[in-house]
Amino acid sequence: MPVLSKAAESSPQGKEQTVGIDDLAVYVPGLYLPLEGEFARSRGIDPGKLIKGIGIERMAVPDAHEDAATMAAMSLLLLMRRSGLQPDRIGKIYVGTESSADEAKAMGTYVIGMLEQVYGRGSFRECGTVEMKAACIATTLALESQSYWLAAEDEDKVGVVIASDVAKYPLASPGEYTQGAGSVSLLLKKNPRLLSLEQVYGHFTRDENDFFRPMGCTTAVVNGKHSNQCYLDAVTGAFDSFAARAARNGIIVPAASECVTDFLDHILFHIPYPRMVEYASAAIFRHDWKGCQRRLKVEAEIGPEPGEGDGKDAAAFQAAQADYARHFARSPQFLEAFAAKVKDTATLSRQIGNIYTGSIYLGLASLLELDRIQTGQRLGFGAYGSGCSALFFSGQVEAQAEDLPGLGLMKRLEERKAITLADYEMLHEGKREKSVVQPEQEFVLEGIDSQGYRHYKFVE
Ligand code: HMG
C-alpha cells in the first residue's frame, strides 16, 4: 500500500477548483565563467571557499546582445512552445525584475514586442502587463497577486509570471562570486498540471539597508553579513505567519508531537548562493522543532540551546548562540532533514549563480530535473527579497506533473561556452560590443537609439 505523505493526509477532501503553476520554462545565457582556476587565482581566493563555502561552480554571464528583457522573452518563448500556448489565451503577463533598463516603460511591453515578432503583430493586444520590483521577492508577489485574479477569472484565460535578472556586483567585491543571470517563466492556470497553490500566504516586512541599488547605479550596494541575517529573520517571520494561517485554515494542523515542517515534503528557499539554503533550513528547522519532541532528540546530541537568562552578557549570549547554530547545522537530525527536503533544490544554482527573483523557481526546476517530485507532495516556498520582505506559501503536486516534458536544462548547461576572465570583465563593464557567441534562434538587443528606446529583434 503506498504511504501517504503528511501533505496528502492533511489535504481537504473533494476540493473543486484550484489555481497554481501549470508549467514553467527556464532560460540561461549560453556563456559561463568557471569560478575555479583563473577567476579564483586573480581574486586571491581559495577555490574551496567558492565551491564549498559559497557553493557556486559556474556563474552564468549574459552575452553582449542580451539583457533582462531578451532573457525574459526567451523564457516566455520556451514556455509557449513547450506548452502549446497561444497569445490570445494569456490574460496577464507580470514581470518580476530588479534589472530593468527603463525607469517608466514596463519590461513586459518590450517582451510583448519581441514575442509579436514571432506570433504576429497585435497578437498580445488584449494582454495586461506590469513590471514588479521588490528585489528578489517580486516574482513571488506577482504570483500571489495573479493567483487571486485567476481564481476570479471566468473567461478561461491563463496568466504568466516572468522572473528575469542579471545579478551584478562590483568587480573584485565579495558579492562578485554570487552573480548570475537567467529567466524563469511560470504559467499560472486553473486546475494546473504541476502545482496547486493552497492560497495561504505568510508575509514578513521591515525596512533594512541589507542590499539596494540607488538610481543610476548598475551594481548593487550590499552589506553582505547583514544581508544573510536579514534573510534569516525575514524568512523565519514569514514561516511563523504561514504556520499560523495554515492552522487557522485547517491546512496544516500539527498534533502535539508534530512540527509544521513534517507536513512539507520539500522546502524551496530563495537561493542567492547554495550555502544560503543550508543556513535558511537550519534556521527554520531549529525554530520549528523547538515546539515539538524532535527538540529532545537534538538536545540529547548537542545539549540545550543557550537561553538569554543564562547569566551571560549580550556579546557572550550571541557567541553562545552562534556556536550552538554551528553544532545544530552538523547534527544528524538536521543533516537528515536537509538532505531529504532541501539540498536538491540548489542543484541548478551551483551551475548558474544568483538569478535574483527567479532563483527560488530555479529550485523548483532542480527538483523537476532530478525527478524528485511526486503526486500529492506538499512543497513549501520561502521567498526573500532584500530591503526586506519574505513570503512563505505552499502548494500540492498534481498527478499530471509526472507527464510534463523534461526541461532539458542539464543539457543546456553542458552546451554553454566557458569564457575567459578578460571576456567576463569586458562584458561586466559593458565594454564588449561584439557577441562572444553569434546569436541564433534568439532575441537580441540590436541597439539603443538617441532617445534611449531599446530595439530588439528575433535572429533566425
Ligand atoms: P564572504 O565574506 O565572501 O564569505 O561573504 P565568508 O567569509 O562568510 O565565507 C562563506 C563560507 O565559506 C563560510 O562558511 C566559510 O567558513 C567558508 P560557514 O562558516 O558559514 O559555514 N569558507 C571556506 N570553505 C571551504 N574552503 C575554504 C573556505 N574559506 C571560507 N577555503 C557573502 C559571503 C555571501 C556575504 C558575500 O558573497 C556577499 O555579500 N554576497 C552578496 C549578498 C548575498 O548574496 N546575500 C545573501 C542574503 S541577501 C539575499 O539573498 C538577497 C539577494 O538575492 C538580493 C535581492 O533580494 O534582490 C542578494
Side-chain angles (χ1 to χ4, degrees):
M1 200 170 81
V3 179
L4 278 181
S5 77
K6 285 259 176 225
E9 283 173 22
S10 69
S11 56
Q13 293 301 305
K15 59 180 181 185
E16 280 184 356
Q17 187 163 262
T18 62
V19 298
I21 303 175
D22 186 72
D23 197 3
L24 77 162
V26 178
Y27 174 76
V28 187
L31 307 179
Y32 73 88
L33 180 73
L35 290 194
E36 272 184 306
E38 207 186 359
F39 174 80
R41 273 196 307 279
S42 83
R43 303 295 188 253
I45 304 173
D46 176 1
K49 171 175 174 170
L50 302 172
I51 310 301
K52 292 204 181 95
I54 298 291
I56 300 179
E57 293 169 22
R58 296 173 171 186
M59 240 161 44
V61 179
D63 208 332
H65 58 268
E66 296 187 288
D67 65 9
T70 62
M71 294 194 302
M74 285 306 295
S75 73
L76 178 54
L77 183 63
L78 290 172
L79 179 73
M80 291 179 71
R81 285 183 170 162
R82 67 179 257 118
S83 57
L85 181 63
Q86 290 304 310
D88 59 0
R89 194 71 207 287
I90 306 176
K92 293 184 194 298
I93 297 177
Y94 290 178
V95 183
T97 185
E98 51 185 294
S99 315
S100 189
D102 199 285
E103 305 280 13
K105 183 175 159 63
M107 188 186 287
T109 55
Y110 274 132
V111 171
I112 283 174
M114 283 185 252
L115 268 291
E116 287 194 347
Q117 294 181 31
V118 176
Y119 287 93
R121 193 155 171 76
S123 52
F124 286 78
R125 195 179 40 221
E126 287 193 57
C127 175
T129 188
V130 68
E131 181 180 311
M132 295 178 77
K133 180 186 74 179
C136 292
I137 204 171
T139 298
T140 301
L141 295 174
L143 175 142
E144 182 195 13
S145 167
Q146 275 207 7
S147 75
Y148 301 135
W149 161 69
L150 264 179
E153 215 286 320
D154 58 6
E155 283 193 0
D156 199 29
K157 293 279 186 190
V158 300
V160 171
V161 170
I162 309 178
S164 191
D165 273 307
V166 180
K168 210 167 162 191
Y169 301 94
L171 292 176
S173 71
E176 188 183 24
Y177 34 86
T178 60
Q179 296 176 126
S183 173
V184 180
S185 279
L186 303 174
L187 176 57
L188 300 192
K189 212 173 147 287
K190 281 183 180 153
N191 299 323
R193 287 172 296 169
L194 175 55
L195 190 78
S196 280
L197 298 168
E198 294 184 290
Q199 298 299 77
V200 173
Y201 297 94
H203 284 267
F204 177 95
T205 303
R206 96 182 163 209
D207 180 19
E208 281 293 349
N209 67 344
D210 56 332
F211 167 108
F212 50 99
R213 185 162 66 82
M215 293 288 182
C217 298
T218 57
T219 54
V221 179
V222 61
N223 296 309
K225 297 281 152 51
H226 181 53
S227 75
N228 285 354
Q229 193 54 51
C230 289
Y231 176 124
L232 299 180
D233 291 353
V235 171
T236 307
F239 175 80
D240 281 344
S241 167
F242 166 80
R245 281 162 196 252
R248 284 202 294 277
N249 280 272
I251 284 171
I252 299 178
V253 189
S257 60
E258 294 174 324
C259 310
V260 173
T261 50
D262 294 344
F263 292 77
L264 304 174
D265 297 287
H266 298 280
I267 311 178
L268 299 94
F269 293 102
H270 166 52
I271 316 175
Y273 55 97
R275 277 307 296 292
M276 190 72 219
V277 298
E278 209 176 306
Y279 305 148
S281 39
I284 292 299
F285 283 124
R286 183 177 154 195
H287 180 70
D288 186 40
W289 294 352
K290 266 184 204 162
C292 67
Q293 284 176 352
R294 190 85 41 88
R295 179 179 59 90
L296 301 175
K297 285 192 187 158
V298 177
E299 279 186 6
E301 292 277 344
I302 62 170
E305 192 159 325
E308 246 172 304
D310 290 352
K312 298 184 180 80
D313 62 22
F317 172 65
Q318 251 185 358
Q321 276 284 333
D323 192 47
Y324 185 83
R326 270 191 293 278
H327 283 97
F328 181 87
R330 284 187 224 122
S331 69
Q333 284 80 10
F334 168 70
L335 292 173
E336 191 189 320
F338 178 68
K341 300 190 179 198
V342 185
K343 188 167 176 265
D344 290 339
T345 62
T347 300
L348 291 169
S349 297
R350 290 185 192 286
Q351 306 300 324
I352 294 170
N354 194 357
I355 63 165
Y356 284 160
T357 186
S359 295
I360 187 168
Y361 303 103
L362 214 46
L364 181 57
S366 289
L367 293 182
L368 287 168
E369 288 294 79
L370 297 172
D371 217 3
R372 293 278 285 114
I373 288 181
Q374 285 164 22
T375 306
Q377 286 186 332
R378 176 180 282 120
L379 312 189
F381 292 79
Y384 176 72
S386 290
C388 69
S389 332
L391 201 164
F392 205 102
F393 68 98
S394 63
Q396 281 200 9
V397 178
E398 292 293 342
Q400 284 169 284
E402 289 171 22
D403 304 333
L404 286 174
L407 296 168
L409 283 166
M410 301 302 183
K411 184 164 174 279
R412 165 77 179 166
L413 294 181
E414 278 315 307
E415 287 169 355
R416 293 179 301 173
K417 181 180 168 58
I419 52 172
T420 62
L421 183 68
D423 276 339
Y424 151 71
E425 290 186 347
M426 294 278 281
L427 286 166
H428 187 281
E429 298 302 288
K431 289 184 181 154
R432 192 182 158 112
E433 281 176 15
K434 203 169 167 294
S435 302
V436 177
V437 174
Q438 275 317 298
E440 207 179 299
Q441 287 294 313
E442 64 185 292
F443 295 108
V444 301
L445 173 64
E446 259 192 311
I448 305 169
D449 67 26
S450 57
Q451 285 190 311
Y453 182 81
R454 299 168 87 83
H455 294 264
Y456 296 98
K457 76 167 184 198
F458 187 72
V459 174
E460 295 290 346

